Amino acid sequence: MNEYLVAQLKQGRLDKGLKQSDVTKLTGIKNTTLSNYENGITEPNIDTFLQLCELYHLNYATILAEAYGLKISGTDFNIKPSEMEHIEKYRKLDDFGRETIDMIINRETDRTTQAKEAADIIKQLLHQES
């Protein structure tokens, strides 16, 4: 299940001050089923998702868009609304601001790539020892 979606459902319940047992009484969804949703073990079908969104007063369209992104036509690329907000802010920057952001993105991309490569090497070494 999508971690963002899981977090939104759980936070929605908590924001309404509801216990899982309260949701069970109001919806008929079993406590264990609700727990499985909130822990990412299983995911609700669309009807149940909509029912929970209605109960928690959540905007289902916003949650789904952020959770799964919007497909860019003709590509394999998805973009989330929060990412679009970053792009809008980036476009408002002057040349210095864009250069600064580009430098940070490049540095962080290099850092995470190096960290992943190091983790892969450690896994290989550990695998060879066993």
Side-chain angles (χ1 to χ4, degrees):
M1 177 176 229
N2 183 287
E3 289 180 27
Y4 177 82
L5 192 139
V6 167
Q8 292 301 300
L9 287 178
K10 185 172 184 176
Q11 192 60 51
R13 178 179 60 77
L14 295 173
D15 288 349
K16 288 296 174 190
L18 297 171
K19 297 181 216 167
Q20 288 182 346
S21 58
D22 298 328
V23 176
T24 294
K25 290 174 189 169
L26 293 168
T27 65
I29 300 169
K30 295 179 185 175
N31 279 39
T32 54
T33 302
L34 187 61
S35 178
N36 286 342
Y37 296 159
E38 292 185 1
N39 290 306
I41 297 168
T42 59
E43 56 181 78
N45 63 34
I46 191 66
D47 292 331
T48 303
F49 172 73
L50 293 174
Q51 181 182 22
L52 292 172
C53 285
E54 184 177 329
L55 177 63
Y56 304 154
H57 297 109
L58 300 173
N59 184 316
Y60 66 88
T62 301
I63 293 172
L64 290 174
E66 186 64 30
Y68 296 105
L70 306 170
K71 179 139 176 58
I72 304 301
S73 182
T75 71
D76 289 333
F77 188 75
N78 291 334
I79 188 165
K80 297 178 180 182
S82 61
E83 294 167 337
M84 288 189 286
E85 289 176 21
H86 288 300
I87 292 169
E88 289 172 1
K89 289 176 185 177
Y90 179 86
R91 288 179 176 170
K92 292 178 183 177
L93 297 174
D94 60 13
D95 288 341
F96 179 80
R98 283 191 296 276
E99 287 173 15
T100 302
I101 297 303
D102 291 344
M103 181 181 64
I104 293 168
I105 288 173
N106 290 333
R107 187 189 75 205
E108 286 302 299
T109 301
D110 290 345
R111 183 187 62 80
T112 55
T113 299
Q114 291 171 359
K116 183 182 179 324
E117 289 171 354
D120 290 345
I121 290 170
I122 291 170
K123 286 179 187 175
Q124 288 174 355
L125 292 172
L126 291 173
H127 181 55
Q128 288 175 356
E129 291 178 4
S130 51

